[in-house]
Amino acid sequence: MKTFYIETFGCQMNVHDTEKVVGTLLARGYSQVETPDEAGLVLYNTCSIRDKAEQKVFNRLSSFKRAGNGKVFGVLGCVAQQEGARIFEKAPHVSLVCGSASYTKLPDLLVQLESGNRRVTGLSLDTDEAFETPLTRRDNPHRAYITIIEGCDKSCAYCVVPFKRGPERSRTSASILEEARRLADAGYTEIQLLGQNVNSYRDPSPSGWDFATMLARVAEVPGLRRVRFTTSHPRDFGKDIVDAIDANPVLCNHVHLPVQSGSSRVLDRMQRLYSREQYMRRIEWLKASRRNIAITTDIIVGFCGETEKDFEQTLSLLDEVRYDSLFSFKYSARPNTPALALEDHVSEEEKGRRLTILQERQRAIQLERNAELVGAVEEVLVEGFNRSTGQWIGRTSQNRVLNFLHAVVPRPNGVSLEGSYLDVRVTRAGPNSLAGEAVA
Ligand code: SAM
Ligand code: SF4
């Protein structure tokens, strides 16, 4: 029997790529197993945004070095693209190396593997195709992901994505809408549109829709209750996106808008294509919305040449925007990126100090932001039940986790609230989540 195990590292894009890879394998007669030990084919869908993620994959592979038990190993994603055939030298027991821009060739590569070929690669970045497949095996029964644009045409000085995922290629509006309708018909009520820079979307068909138009059309698909999107690049973030959110409540009131730094000098060195002032303009549009739009971001601390004064500007940006949540990272030098040519490296110790200060400041802001919601009634999509606390787990349109009490508790074969939309009154706030009680 053909069995496979797959482990995914990294971002939402990778998680969704895995869903498509899994669908492709199932359609070829493979069955998925829970552990590498049970599997004939062991796959790692990798990420190389920061070096720790990359080390993890090689650690996983090295634990099987002497296994020699007939398993076939494959490395997919960014590390595959970065290391290419060198992976065969570092880990000779690997047989398949395939970057995300070559996933359309996966069925052919599997045929080669099955016929005993032990050095199979898919590494071309020269593609104008996005990985579209009707075979996607979706992990979440309520929320479905749709990649609308792949690759990246920007060149931020620190980032490997343009070298790993190839040039930007958008799917046609017709194929996106067809997938959204199919998902709604299958019972999905929430859709998340994905892209490294989702708002750089441009319909390649004659209608040439921009991202705001695409967003508005997806939100009109009958049966959908929530539509989200990630990640937006500030440079391409137009006011028309806020207008679309204002016009249709199906579009969730949450925008993830990575700023990276609060210092225009650092943003310039990062080649981010906007200044602090231009970024703040977008924040003003969001704050002027009729909806209460949650704003989240990504920050890198300790980029080459970041002075204490630059860092203080990032802290002051946090105070000015009052983000609802953020992801923060220490700058990690990556192969082939333009930043390698920059000087004035910040020590690891100093990066760590800045990260701690930043996270503490943000924690205080989040506590305040969440406390503002106590007493409010929020609609949640119920995601599960936590047996240890006896609370249901819900998610608000703003993407906040709201744990709540409800008269219904799950019993075997009994009623489940999972997948339903309920009104919940917020009674308590922590820095990372809210607690509440269902409104009768
Ligand atoms: N395309 C999105 C944008 O431009 O905002 C970001 C995509 S990237 C996959 C996700 C996040 O990883 C970035 O926003 C950045 O904060 C972080 N990141 C990327 N390269 C990094 C590096 N070399 N060191 C530390 N963090 C990095
Ligand atoms: Fe990386 Fe910049 Fe492209 Fe985002 S926009 S994926 S940070 S190069």
Side-chain angles (χ1 to χ4, degrees):
M1 198 178 49
K2 300 193 288 188
T3 50
F4 74 96
Y5 166 83
I6 186 162
E7 182 175 354
T8 310
F9 300 84
C11 66
Q12 198 50 59
M13 293 280 288
N14 259 15
V15 171
H16 183 45
D17 280 348
T18 290
E19 292 185 328
K20 298 191 225 178
V21 170
V22 169
T24 306
L25 285 159
L26 294 176
R28 284 199 58 80
Y30 284 80
S31 61
Q32 190 171 11
V33 291
E34 294 299 317
T35 63
D37 289 340
E38 300 163 74
L41 173 63
V42 178
L43 297 172
Y44 296 106
N45 186 8
T46 61
C47 165
S48 61
I49 278 280
R50 288 168 294 276
D51 57 2
K52 281 211 187 89
E54 188 179 307
Q55 278 162 17
K56 262 192 222 161
V57 183
F58 282 109
N59 288 346
R60 290 283 196 289
L61 284 168
S62 68
S63 68
F64 285 100
K65 223 176 226 160
R66 281 175 293 277
N69 50 3
K71 285 188 201 308
V72 176
F73 291 86
V75 179
L76 310 176
C78 295
V79 174
Q81 195 67 54
Q82 177 180 306
E83 299 292 316
R86 280 197 302 267
I87 293 182
F88 297 136
E89 289 156 32
K90 284 192 183 172
H93 51 310
V94 169
S95 300
L96 169 69
V97 175
C98 181
S100 65
S102 299
Y103 285 164
T104 43
K105 305 197 182 72
L106 212 54
D108 294 341
L109 302 179
L110 288 169
V111 171
Q112 292 181 41
L113 270 186
E114 287 159 14
S115 61
N117 190 341
R118 286 292 160 262
R119 288 286 185 269
V120 178
T121 56
L123 294 168
S124 170
L125 281 177
D126 184 16
T127 177
D128 53 7
E129 283 177 88
F131 182 31
E132 288 184 37
T133 168
L135 302 172
T136 311
R137 203 288 317 271
R138 298 181 184 274
D139 289 331
N140 185 314
H142 314 294
R143 175 184 306 135
Y145 299 96
I146 303 183
T147 307
I148 65 166
I149 175 168
E150 288 187 16
C152 175
D153 281 349
K154 306 263 187 307
S155 50
C156 301
Y158 50 80
C159 186
V160 291
V161 169
F163 313 104
K164 304 294 175 275
R165 287 187 168 266
E168 261 173 28
R169 48 231 189 256
S170 294
R171 287 173 60 185
T172 63
S173 50
S175 87
I176 295 167
L177 284 173
E178 201 266 325
E179 188 169 357
R181 284 190 203 109
R182 207 162 16 87
L183 289 165
D185 290 346
Y188 291 92
T189 56
E190 180 175 316
I191 279 188
Q192 188 159 344
L193 304 179
L194 296 179
Q196 288 300 338
N197 292 316
V198 74
N199 58 331
S200 311
Y201 175 81
R202 178 62 70 166
D203 184 0
S205 50
S207 54
W209 288 353
D210 59 14
F211 176 64
T213 310
M214 188 72 241
L215 200 55
R217 292 294 168 291
V218 173
E220 285 164 3
V221 170
L224 294 183
R225 301 266 310 245
R226 286 182 173 181
V227 174
R228 303 182 183 278
F229 54 97
T230 199
T231 295
S232 298
H233 191 285
R235 158 81 171 233
D236 303 335
F237 193 87
K239 188 168 172 304
D240 51 356
I241 299 174
V242 184
D243 294 340
I245 297 175
D246 268 344
N248 191 338
V250 168
L251 293 174
C252 287
N253 45 359
H254 171 215
V255 169
H256 185 64
L257 200 61
V259 65
Q260 315 300 355
S261 168
S263 154
S264 292
R265 202 184 68 85
V266 173
L267 290 173
D268 187 46
R269 281 169 72 93
M270 286 178 165
Q271 298 168 203
R272 281 295 284 179
L273 309 175
Y274 55 85
S275 63
R276 174 179 175 136
E277 290 65 36
Q278 286 164 331
Y279 180 85
M280 281 309 297
R281 199 71 224 286
R282 277 114 184 110
I283 298 295
E284 281 157 24
W285 296 335
L286 288 163
K287 296 215 173 203
S289 160
R290 282 189 277 116
R291 310 271 304 278
N292 183 6
I293 302 179
I295 308 171
T296 58
T297 200
D298 294 347
I299 304 262
I300 297 177
V301 297
F303 186 64
C304 321
E306 183 189 76
T307 62
E308 187 62 31
K309 208 167 144 230
D310 292 316
F311 176 60
E312 277 165 17
Q313 287 182 27
T314 298
L315 295 178
S316 83
L317 183 87
L318 257 52
D319 291 338
E320 207 174 328
V321 179
R322 300 184 75 231
Y323 290 107
D324 293 272
S325 165
L326 61 74
F327 295 107
S328 49
F329 312 101
K330 290 195 268 184
Y331 167 63
S332 157
R334 307 307 297 126
N336 307 319
T337 53
L340 292 184
L342 297 176
E343 285 164 3
D344 305 328
H345 293 278
V346 177
S347 71
E348 280 308 306
E349 194 189 348
E350 181 57 18
K351 284 183 205 168
R353 189 186 73 85
R354 290 182 191 175
L355 191 70
T356 307
I357 294 173
L358 181 103
Q359 290 175 344
E360 279 171 8
R361 178 77 63 100
Q362 177 58 23
R363 190 183 151 86
I365 293 171
Q366 266 172 232
L367 200 51
E368 283 173 20
R369 298 284 292 148
N370 285 346
E372 288 163 15
L373 291 170
V374 172
V377 173
E378 296 279 329
E379 184 185 62
V380 298
L381 165 59
V382 185
E383 294 187 341
F385 183 76
N386 183 336
R387 292 200 174 274
S388 60
T389 61
Q391 289 173 313
W392 290 92
I393 306 160
R395 196 169 287 270
T396 69
S397 171
Q398 289 191 324
N399 208 32
R400 285 184 158 83
V401 172
L402 172 46
N403 300 307
F404 64 99
L405 297 169
H406 193 286
V408 170
V409 286
R411 288 194 189 84
N413 307 321
V415 199
S416 175
L417 300 176
E418 240 178 277
S420 55
Y421 288 81
L422 296 176
D423 283 340
V424 176
R425 185 175 307 282
V426 180
T427 53
R428 273 181 299 120
N432 298 314
S433 65
L434 304 167
E437 286 164 16
V439 176

